Amino acid sequence: MKKVEDYIRSIPDFPEEGIIFRDVTSILQEADGLHLAIDEMIKLLDGVDFDVIAGAESRGFIFGVPIAYALNKPFVPVRKAGKLPCATVSKTYDLEYGSATIEMHKDSIKPGQKVVLVDDLIATGGTIEAAAQLVEELGGEVVKIVFLMELAGLHGRDKLAKYDVASVVTYEGK
């Protein structure tokens, strides 16, 4: 029986020499790989009491929506700035080169709601840390953060130390 990591394509020297890029599209292109990835992420939520799943654009949508569907939970998109049509809250965070801003609708999380954040990959942790801060700003509680893959060598978990974080597959390098 195949494991999730068997479906992940590793591309050496991308985007620069010495980096091994872990490609999630190879999972999406295989029905069995996609099914297995979703099932394994759902297993990480076993026993977790929560109300809402939120996912970061765009691959957090790809994995978060089927998890929300399977568990009969609502899904909240965390979007890049300027993409949501109603009143929003926003958070700007640092990238390796520059910064980015993400937003959520002001009414997407109700005070007291327990939220699971979903994304495909944790690298430096900046995006999901900003998403967690938005959830908290809206009065929600982040009860779990779930990733398909983790690049442990980039220490993204350090930024998320106060949260319960789980990954299906962990790569020790960058």
Side-chain angles (χ1 to χ4, degrees):
M1 178 143 178
K2 283 187 154 184
K3 300 181 293 187
V4 171
E5 47 264 54
D6 296 330
Y7 292 96
I8 299 170
R9 178 173 39 203
S10 297
I11 303 167
D13 299 322
F14 184 82
E16 58 187 52
E17 191 171 331
I19 300 293
I20 300 175
F21 186 83
R22 307 299 179 173
D23 185 16
V24 73
T25 63
S26 54
I27 292 173
L28 304 176
Q29 293 169 336
E30 295 283 340
D32 290 342
L34 178 58
H35 195 106
L36 181 60
I38 298 301
D39 287 349
E40 291 299 311
M41 293 176 85
I42 287 172
K43 285 180 188 175
L44 297 176
L45 296 174
D46 188 42
V48 178
D49 177 31
F50 68 98
D51 305 304
V52 177
I53 292 178
E57 187 170 353
S58 66
R59 289 170 294 197
F61 298 1
I62 292 170
F63 294 102
V65 169
I67 294 169
Y69 176 83
L71 299 177
N72 197 34
K73 301 290 184 178
F75 180 81
V76 172
V78 180
R79 301 285 322 256
K80 294 173 184 167
K83 301 289 186 178
L84 292 170
C86 296
T88 62
V89 291
S90 64
K91 180 66 71 177
T92 299
Y93 60 98
D94 291 329
L95 299 169
E96 188 175 355
Y97 303 104
S99 63
T101 302
I102 57 173
E103 297 179 331
M104 295 173 70
H105 279 140
K106 283 186 177 180
D107 62 356
S108 62
I109 302 294
K110 313 295 184 278
Q113 281 189 314
K114 296 176 182 177
V115 180
V116 169
L117 290 170
V118 174
D119 208 352
D120 69 319
L121 173 74
I122 177 175
T124 62
T127 303
I128 212 74
E129 178 189 36
Q133 291 169 350
L134 287 177
V135 167
E136 293 166 347
E137 183 178 328
L138 293 171
E141 175 190 359
V142 176
V143 295
K144 186 96 175 183
I145 303 175
V146 174
F147 300 99
L148 182 62
M149 298 182 287
E150 177 174 353
L151 303 179
L154 294 175
H155 308 288
R157 274 186 188 253
D158 295 349
K159 285 185 180 168
L160 307 174
K162 74 178 195 174
Y163 303 105
D164 181 4
V165 176
S167 302
V168 174
V169 178
T170 301
Y171 294 101
E172 292 307 316
K174 299 178 180 181

